[in-house]
Structure formats: structure tokens, C-alpha cells
Amino acid sequence: MLKPGKCAVPLALLLTLIISLPPALAQLRVIKNPRGRLRIKHLREVERRIYQLTNAVRRKHHLSPLDKDNALVATARAHSDDMLERKFFSHVNPDGTTPQKRIAPAYSRTISRSGENIWGGHGYDYSDSKLMARVIVDSWMSSPGHRANLLNPSYTHLGVGVSVLGKEVRATQNFVRR
């Protein structure tokens, strides 16, 4: 027969193990779905920083900042997700849907103009949200078409969606004027 003092340590270890298992299991479920495939994650902090950097660039060029619009955030995230899920990189999805057609139904307000920037990367360390946002915005500013969207004085609202699946990252900016 064991003495009461000798059972306390093994019992405490056993209880600690049992208590710590459910959170570890839950963490695995965040990474994989029931079929074992990776899930898309949204990088909200990178999105927030892209929004800030975009407005900083606009202020530097004496332009009005863009208002964040949650309907545009949803359409931007949906397009970034779609590019990852269906493995394409384009403003027009495989069904032929253009940015204007994606934005119009999701955007309940009257809009007079819309535009889109997209970015794709592979193998980036997205844990540094500040650096990741800087890389994306700098890339757009280096491209004449994307730069024109960022610096378009007609736009009034912006939505940013950044999605990651495994090592693939996609970012979308949706702009509108209302």
C-alpha cells in the first residue's frame, strides 16, 4: 500500500496532463479541418497596417485619407480567399467575375468608381505584421497601375483583405468612391 505523501506527485502530474490535453487538441483543430486540409487564416493585423500605410502614403502626396469600409473588407478577404482556394492570381476569377462585379452586390451604397490591388507571395514570414504590410505596400507603390489606385484622389473608401494558406499569402485592396 502506498503512503498518502507518495501518491500526491504522480496524481498531480496525471491531472496536469489531463487538463492540458484539450487546449493542445483545440490548437491542432485551428490548423487543420476535419478532412486534414489546411484552413485559410486572415491576417487582421497586417490588414490594419496596410490600411495605415496606404493612408500615410496618401497624406505624403497631399491626398485625403481613405475611410475603412467593412463591406469592402469582406469583399477583399473573399477575393484573397478565392485566389488561395482555387489557386489563381488575377483580378478576374476563373468564373469571369471582375472586381466591379464582386464589389457591387456586397456594397449597398451607391458607388461611382471602384478599383482593386492584389498581391501574392510565397514563403514569407508573416509573423512580423509590420514588415509584411510594408513589403506589400512597397510592392504596390513600385507598380504603376497599383500606385495609380493607391494615389487616386477620387477614391474615398478602402477595404483590405489578407489571407494565408500554408506558405501562400494573398492580399487584396478594394477602393470605391461614393
Side-chain angles (χ1 to χ4, degrees):
M1 183 169 158
L2 291 173
K3 294 183 180 178
K6 291 187 178 192
C7 290
V9 173
L11 186 58
L13 288 173
L14 182 61
L15 285 173
T16 302
L17 179 63
I18 291 170
I19 291 170
S20 67
L21 280 179
L25 239 53
Q27 289 173 359
L28 287 176
R29 287 190 194 113
V30 168
I31 296 169
K32 297 200 178 228
N33 69 16
R35 293 188 181 123
R37 295 186 334 213
L38 293 173
R39 284 189 180 179
I40 290 175
K41 295 188 290 186
H42 297 126
L43 303 180
R44 287 174 169 77
E45 184 61 20
V46 176
E47 293 170 353
R48 186 184 71 76
R49 289 181 182 275
I50 288 172
Y51 175 76
Q52 289 175 334
L53 287 170
T54 298
N55 279 332
V57 167
R58 288 178 63 85
R59 279 190 292 277
K60 182 179 174 184
H61 288 86
H62 310 289
L63 297 169
S64 299
L66 301 169
D67 292 328
K68 181 180 177 185
D69 187 289
N70 289 331
L72 294 175
V73 170
T75 60
R77 282 183 185 156
H79 187 58
S80 291
D81 291 357
D82 190 28
M83 287 190 287
L84 289 169
E85 288 170 347
R86 296 203 281 172
K87 298 179 171 102
F88 73 95
F89 183 72
S90 176
H91 293 284
V92 179
N93 73 17
D95 301 327
T97 307
T98 64
Q100 291 74 22
K101 287 182 183 176
R102 278 193 303 276
I103 292 169
Y107 202 79
S108 61
R109 296 174 181 90
T110 303
I111 56 174
S112 62
R113 183 180 194 119
S114 65
E116 181 177 80
N117 284 347
I118 59 173
W119 180 91
H122 175 80
Y124 282 91
D125 176 10
Y126 52 85
S127 63
D128 185 343
S129 59
K130 188 175 182 178
L131 178 60
M132 186 85 247
R134 172 60 63 197
V135 166
I136 294 168
V137 173
D138 285 351
S139 175
W140 284 330
M141 288 301 289
S142 298
S143 163
H146 295 108
R147 180 184 176 90
N149 276 337
L150 269 152
L151 299 178
N152 187 323
S154 297
Y155 292 135
T156 58
H157 292 78
L158 171 66
V160 179
V162 181
S163 303
V164 64
L165 180 64
K167 294 184 177 190
E168 295 292 325
V169 182
R170 298 293 179 269
T172 303
Q173 281 187 312
N174 286 144
F175 302 88
V176 299
R177 175 187 178 154
R178 58 173 170 154

